[in-house]
Amino acid sequence: MTLDRAYYLLAAFYSLMVIMGVIAILAGGGTLLAPVHLLLGALAVVGLWGYILKRRFMNPRMWRPLACVLAVGIVVQLFIMLTTPLSSVLLTWMLTSSIFSVMLVIMLYRYGDRDQPLWASDEERTAARQLDVLLSDNSPITAIKRDGSRENSVKVFKSNEGYKASVTRRSQEGQERFEERFQYPETLVFFLEKFTSVTINDFNKPTSI
């Protein structure tokens, strides 16, 4: 069995668990917490399929917080099970949800990493390819973006470890310097456009640096 097939079977299993939970609730089973478990579980399964298929679902900023919520839920439920006498039904729901949430926590945390090509738009992928060509010909490369009294200077490096952007922001209030590292050029493009207003075309312009 290949790893991809194992992932597909795992996602199908989690999807089946959610469906069985819905059927159980409709049949009158479960507890007051069961709908909450199912809602979180269904959302987590969506993220699981996104991770396996390498597709974008919703916003990347939501998946790591969801993974943290599931992790906290596991700890809380284990504490309750160890310290409180529970009915067999409630114990089953808590134990089952805790066991099957562990794998989801790991995968959702990985899925929520913004530094992945899957979160890039088509425009960012195109710009990333152009940026990679520029860096292959000459590294580092520099771009400057001016907007009135504000100036953003960006120097981009490529190495075997990934990509690094060294940013200098100048304004009337002063000067700020910082660096960010990325594994993929798509994420670098997203960062530059969002936080420095620098685009791929700015690297083709002559600078005084």
Side-chain angles (χ1 to χ4, degrees):
M1 178 183 294
T2 64
L3 182 59
D4 287 341
R5 185 176 181 183
Y7 275 142
Y8 288 135
L9 290 176
L10 180 65
F13 173 75
Y14 277 105
S15 301
L16 181 61
M17 290 289 293
V18 172
I19 295 173
M20 292 176 60
V22 171
I23 295 175
I25 290 178
L26 294 177
T31 66
L32 294 177
L33 293 177
V36 177
H37 291 159
L38 282 176
L39 179 61
L40 291 176
L43 190 58
V45 167
V46 171
L48 177 60
W49 277 110
Y51 174 79
I52 294 173
L53 299 174
K54 303 301 179 185
R55 298 288 182 86
R56 293 184 296 169
F57 289 131
M58 302 183 190
N59 192 300
R61 290 177 294 182
M62 67 169 288
W63 297 113
R64 284 193 165 180
L66 177 59
C68 292
V69 169
L70 293 177
V72 171
I74 293 173
V75 174
V76 171
Q77 289 188 142
L78 290 176
F79 177 79
I80 293 175
M81 285 186 288
L82 293 174
T83 60
T84 306
L86 302 172
S87 65
S88 58
V89 174
L90 185 57
L91 182 62
T92 300
W93 271 95
M94 284 190 170
L95 185 60
T96 302
S97 64
S98 297
I99 292 174
F100 289 106
S101 293
V102 174
M103 184 65 72
L104 287 176
V105 168
I106 297 172
M107 291 189 170
L108 290 180
Y109 190 83
R110 293 178 178 175
Y111 184 52
D113 184 4
R114 183 61 179 80
D115 192 8
Q116 298 183 83
L118 69 91
W119 295 115
S121 64
D122 292 337
E123 293 78 10
E124 289 168 350
R125 291 190 181 96
T126 300
R129 288 193 293 269
Q130 296 174 355
L131 182 60
D132 221 17
V133 171
L134 291 176
L135 286 170
S136 298
D137 295 337
N138 186 24
S139 180
I141 57 176
T142 302
I144 295 178
K145 190 78 171 185
R146 295 184 177 92
D147 183 11
S149 61
R150 298 181 180 273
E151 178 184 287
N152 292 331
S153 175
V154 179
K155 183 176 289 187
V156 177
F157 304 80
K158 180 181 179 181
S159 66
N160 294 333
E161 299 175 354
Y163 302 82
K164 182 178 73 173
S166 179
V167 180
T168 301
R169 290 175 173 172
R170 299 182 180 90
S171 65
Q172 294 179 345
E173 290 76 21
Q175 179 173 292
E176 175 189 14
R177 295 177 181 269
F178 61 93
E179 292 183 351
E180 293 289 343
R181 297 179 182 273
F182 308 95
Q183 289 185 337
Y184 300 96
E186 291 86 353
T187 319
L188 173 58
V189 168
F190 168 80
F191 166 79
L192 294 176
E193 293 181 352
K194 184 174 180 63
F195 295 100
T196 69
S197 299
V198 171
T199 66
I200 183 64
N201 294 327
D202 294 314
F203 290 100
N204 296 318
K205 297 177 182 178
T207 66
S208 59
I209 292 182

